[in-house]
């Protein structure tokens, strides 16, 4: 369980999150956060991962204040964040990238790798290929697969469909739906329609504040979302 309690967050003198509260636990299936460019979605994920500090308020991961934890401790506790940039090691193979994802879980590496290959057969077919030689969609699958290698309780995906063709985007969302049967997914997206359709709980973030919280399908039907995003 991660609890975000009334946080203020800034970059230098510019505040980007305002008194924001949020929670997600392994009881959730899919929780989505949608909102425009620059709303602060990625910043929230970075703060939850312990990669960026809060000015005020607290983030608690399974009972521990994230400010006191090394980011790898947050991963070990069960929160894994696949960033927008994907951050693959381009000159390393698919298998090596997956192994890197298991740095906190060497004990279960081979077992988890089999599960990831089952979910994404293309990664097994290409396991000896360099990551940079893969297509954008395959690289996204690899980034997600690498996140799963840490055996998260909650997997946060930051704009998994970014830069992908519509057909590939659909494939990625099918996989996310499948993953959510086993692992809680926190989905951050600009593809508002797809992200809300999957979500049991969803938030609209604008200018560093949540303006609405509802079930995904209900938020999809709201006038504000229809007017501004669909
Ligand atoms: N490293 C940084 N240094 C300074 N300002 C930053 C930095 N990263 C983000 N910002 C600013 O913080 C605000 C929130 O950015 P953030 O990346 O969290 O938004 P986002 O909702 O993820 O946007 P996008 O949909 O474009 O990914 C923006 O105004 C952005 O310009
Ligand atoms: Mg972002």
């Amino acid at each position: 369980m991660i609890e975000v309690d009334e946080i203020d967050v800034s970059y230098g003198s510019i505040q980007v999150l305002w008194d924001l509260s949020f929670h997600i636990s392994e009881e959730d299936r899919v929780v989505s956060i949608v909102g425009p460019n620059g709303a602060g979605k990625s910043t929230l994920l970075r703060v939850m991962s312990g990669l960026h500090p809060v000015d005020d308020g607290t983030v608690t991961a399974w009972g521990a204040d994230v400010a006191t934890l090394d980011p790898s401790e947050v991963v070990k506790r069960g929160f894994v964040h696949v960033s927008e940039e994907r951050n693959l090691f381009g000159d390393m193979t698919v298998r090596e990238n997956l192994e890197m994802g298991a740095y906190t879980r060497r004990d279960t590496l081979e077992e988890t790798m089999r599960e990831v290959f089952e979910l994404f057969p293309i990664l097994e077919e290409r396991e000896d290929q360099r990551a940079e030689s893969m297509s954008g969609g395959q690289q996204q699958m690899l980034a997600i697969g690498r996140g799963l290698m840490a055996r998260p309780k909650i997997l946060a995906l930051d704009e998994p469909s970014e830069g992908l063709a519509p057909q590939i985007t659909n494939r990625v969302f099918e996989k996310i739906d499948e993953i959510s049967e086993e692992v809680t997914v926190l989905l951050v997206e600009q593809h508002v329609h797809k992200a809300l359709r999957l979500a049991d709980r969803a938030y609209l973030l604008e200018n560093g504040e949540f303006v609405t919280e509802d079930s995904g399908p209900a938020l999809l039907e709201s006038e504000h979302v229809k007017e501004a995003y669909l």
Side-chain angles (χ1 to χ4, degrees):
M1 163 116 188
I2 302 213
E3 285 174 285
V4 173
D5 191 27
E6 299 183 349
I7 59 168
D8 291 329
V9 176
S10 49
Y11 294 99
S13 59
I14 299 177
Q15 187 168 346
V16 299
L17 296 179
W18 302 81
D19 201 28
L20 194 89
S21 295
F22 172 73
H23 61 95
I24 183 165
S25 82
E26 42 278 59
E27 308 296 312
D28 291 302
R29 201 180 57 92
V30 179
V31 177
S32 291
I33 300 175
V34 298
N37 271 328
K41 305 180 296 296
S42 301
T43 301
L44 175 59
L45 295 188
R46 281 199 287 272
V47 168
M48 290 170 74
S49 298
L51 298 170
H52 191 87
V54 295
D55 300 334
D56 198 12
T58 50
V59 180
T60 312
W62 291 275
D65 185 343
V66 165
T68 68
L69 300 176
D70 187 81
S72 70
E73 288 293 325
V74 180
V75 171
K76 270 191 206 157
R77 278 164 187 267
F79 183 71
V80 171
H81 160 198
V82 178
S83 76
E84 249 171 321
E85 297 82 20
R86 296 174 192 158
N87 294 330
L88 295 172
F89 301 98
D91 57 352
M92 288 167 62
T93 66
V94 166
R95 170 173 277 273
E96 286 164 345
N97 270 277
L98 291 173
E99 286 170 355
M100 297 294 286
Y103 73 102
T104 58
R105 303 302 291 265
R106 309 307 294 184
D107 49 328
T108 48
L109 193 150
E110 286 304 325
E111 179 193 340
T112 316
M113 182 101 59
R114 275 196 300 280
E115 291 169 14
V116 169
F117 283 159
E118 229 166 85
L119 180 69
F120 298 121
I122 188 74
L123 298 182
E124 185 166 25
E125 286 166 33
R126 305 281 164 94
E127 66 175 307
D128 297 320
Q129 209 169 302
R130 284 147 66 104
E132 66 196 2
S133 71
M134 311 259 284
S135 71
Q138 291 164 353
Q139 289 192 23
Q140 186 58 56
M141 310 267 182
L142 177 55
I144 295 171
R146 191 180 56 180
L148 289 170
M149 289 300 294
R151 301 188 79 83
K153 297 190 182 95
I154 301 173
L155 180 70
L157 301 175
D158 196 351
E159 313 249 6
S161 70
E162 191 168 281
L164 303 183
Q167 213 180 344
I168 311 296
T169 297
N170 289 339
R171 285 284 292 150
V172 168
F173 275 94
E174 280 166 25
K175 292 297 178 185
I176 292 170
D177 200 19
E178 207 175 322
I179 289 166
S180 71
E181 287 165 21
E182 310 282 335
V183 178
T184 297
V185 175
L186 174 54
L187 185 56
V188 163
E189 261 294 336
Q190 287 195 46
H191 259 104
V192 170
H193 191 270
K194 290 194 166 60
L196 294 184
R197 213 162 36 87
L198 279 184
D200 307 309
R201 190 150 58 81
Y203 297 79
L204 179 58
L205 185 67
E206 289 180 349
N207 299 316
E209 295 179 284
F210 287 133
V211 290
T212 324
E213 171 191 348
D214 213 327
S215 75
L219 206 54
L220 254 182
E221 290 305 313
S222 82
E223 286 308 315
H224 183 91
V225 167
K226 276 188 186 160
E227 276 172 24
Y229 300 98
L230 299 176

